[in-house]
Amino acid sequence: MTVADERLARTGAARRLLVRPELGAVVGAVAVFAFFASQSATFRSIEGVANWLDPASTLGIMAVAIALLMIGGEFDLSAGVLTGTTGLIMVILATRYGLSVWTAMLVSLAAALLVGFLNGLIVVRTGLPSFIVTLGTFLMLQGVNLGVTKALTGTVQVGGLRGAEGYEGARALLAGTVQVGGTDFRVAVLWWLGVTALATWVLMRTRAGNRIFAVGGDAGAARAAGVPAERTKIALFMTTAVAAWLVGSILALRFTSVQANSGIGQEFVYIIAAVIGGCLLTGGYGSAIGAAIGAVIFGMADKGIVFAGWDADWFTFFLGAMLLLATLANRLVRRYAEEVRR
């Protein structure tokens, strides 16, 4: 008997493990950790773990949101620059117009949701590829960020957030630290774990998760089955926008200033992390946990290269190599999963 959803197929424990989309990422993470741990004692220490979990956390929040969108069959190339846009809105409103940090954050959240809604609406109403639509949004936001920042400050940076009302409380919530074993870990790590857990629950335990897989696998068939495909896709774009707002707020509160070019180029890193985590470029397959593990791999490589004393330029080589290997591994896993279903 053919099972409509491969997650419900009755297979053995070993086969269920082998067809998990995040399997390749787990193997890769273990290999990367073992390699850099053998190169540097600092890397494998508790301080080292805190060090490489820091970049992994903000990257992971975005990678998980992008993974949901990719499972739904779409891309968002504006996600990186949107983190900068939301941070700029918050800092400008708090430092130039006297709003409290909390109010400024709410306004920047509303702006992010509007961008996500418009991205999704244009994609579903016009039928244009999301790659093109969000590339256009990326370019427009980049221009707005630079133009507005220069007009207000005469430079490409807005600062002074530390003196704004509500800064200390917002910083403690989003950009502070917590002690574990006498070592400071960024609060962003907890936000990252929470986002990953929530996304995993939605994908695997809710009707919304079924809809995401359905529209990513075959949007036409999903519509025929009564799935609100357009509404689901718009919601996914808005989810990505909320993640961009969260990351933009975390970074702005941490550094108390924002550069007009913040986030540019990061959109590709988010997609690569999701692909390493098991997401297919064609949609309908992947996991939030896998994307989070993909972010861990990037965090380990980013700091591990430094701890090992290598030239930091090798990091970009690592990105390309991991992308190719992950794509090949995902293709093999997907092919095996389809054979199991038969």
Side-chain angles (χ1 to χ4, degrees):
M1 180 181 71
T2 301
V3 179
D5 189 334
E6 67 193 37
R7 294 171 295 163
L8 302 179
R10 293 184 178 180
T11 57
R15 284 191 171 185
R16 286 199 301 271
L17 176 63
L18 288 173
V19 300
R20 290 298 305 169
E22 62 270 12
L23 175 63
V26 172
V27 174
V30 171
V32 171
F33 177 82
F35 176 77
F36 284 114
S38 69
Q39 300 293 309
S40 168
T42 303
F43 177 86
R44 61 179 182 266
S45 67
I46 185 69
E47 292 81 8
V49 172
N51 205 290
W52 48 257
L53 280 182
D54 180 16
S57 61
T58 50
L59 169 59
I61 291 170
M62 286 305 307
V64 168
I66 290 295
L68 295 180
L69 184 62
M70 289 179 66
I71 293 170
E74 304 294 346
F75 293 93
D76 189 349
L77 296 184
S78 67
V81 71
L82 186 56
T83 64
T85 302
T86 55
L88 283 169
I89 291 173
M90 182 182 74
V91 177
I92 288 172
L93 292 178
T95 61
R96 299 277 166 169
Y97 296 96
L99 273 66
S100 74
V101 171
W102 297 106
T103 304
M105 284 175 61
L106 288 176
V107 175
S108 67
L109 173 59
L113 287 170
L114 178 61
V115 171
F117 174 77
L118 291 176
N119 276 339
L121 185 65
I122 294 171
V123 168
V124 301
R125 289 294 176 85
T126 66
L128 290 172
S130 54
F131 179 91
I132 297 298
V133 172
T134 58
L135 177 59
T137 304
F138 163 82
L139 294 172
M140 288 188 289
L141 289 177
Q142 182 181 10
V144 168
N145 290 357
L146 287 168
V148 172
T149 304
K150 285 183 177 179
L152 291 176
T153 68
T155 67
V156 294
Q157 178 176 323
V158 180
L161 187 61
R162 191 180 300 276
E165 178 188 349
Y167 167 76
E168 291 298 335
R171 185 181 186 280
L173 179 65
L174 295 177
T177 59
V178 292
Q179 276 210 342
V180 178
T183 301
D184 287 336
F185 284 77
R186 291 286 184 180
V187 172
V189 175
L190 299 179
W191 283 98
W192 169 40
L193 294 176
V195 167
T196 303
L198 176 61
T200 300
W201 175 76
V202 169
L203 279 177
M204 306 308 298
R205 300 293 181 184
T206 70
R207 181 178 297 177
N210 292 334
R211 290 173 175 175
I212 292 171
F213 280 105
V215 299
D218 189 331
R223 290 188 190 94
V227 174
E230 288 75 15
R231 191 167 63 194
T232 299
K233 287 180 180 288
I234 291 174
L236 287 172
F237 278 104
M238 294 179 73
T239 298
T240 302
V242 171
W245 165 79
L246 177 58
V247 171
S249 299
I250 289 171
L251 296 178
L253 289 165
R254 180 182 301 182
F255 299 117
T256 71
S257 65
V258 181
Q259 295 276 351
N261 62 353
S262 295
I264 295 176
Q266 286 296 104
E267 57 279 343
F268 295 109
V269 179
Y270 304 150
I271 292 172
I272 293 170
V275 171
I276 289 175
C279 292
L280 294 181
L281 298 176
T282 52
Y285 189 77
S287 80
I289 293 175
I293 297 173
V296 171
I297 292 175
F298 279 104
M300 289 193 293
D302 183 28
K303 300 302 180 182
I305 287 172
V306 176
F307 290 150
W310 297 1
D311 190 321
D313 290 338
W314 281 104
F315 182 64
T316 56
F317 172 84
F318 175 84
L319 292 187
M322 287 301 298
L323 175 61
L324 290 176
L325 290 173
T327 303
L328 291 172
N330 292 347
R331 183 177 181 182
L332 293 175
V333 169
R334 181 60 177 172
R335 184 178 299 171
Y336 180 75
E338 290 173 348
E339 291 175 356
V340 168
R341 290 174 63 186
R342 298 191 190 101

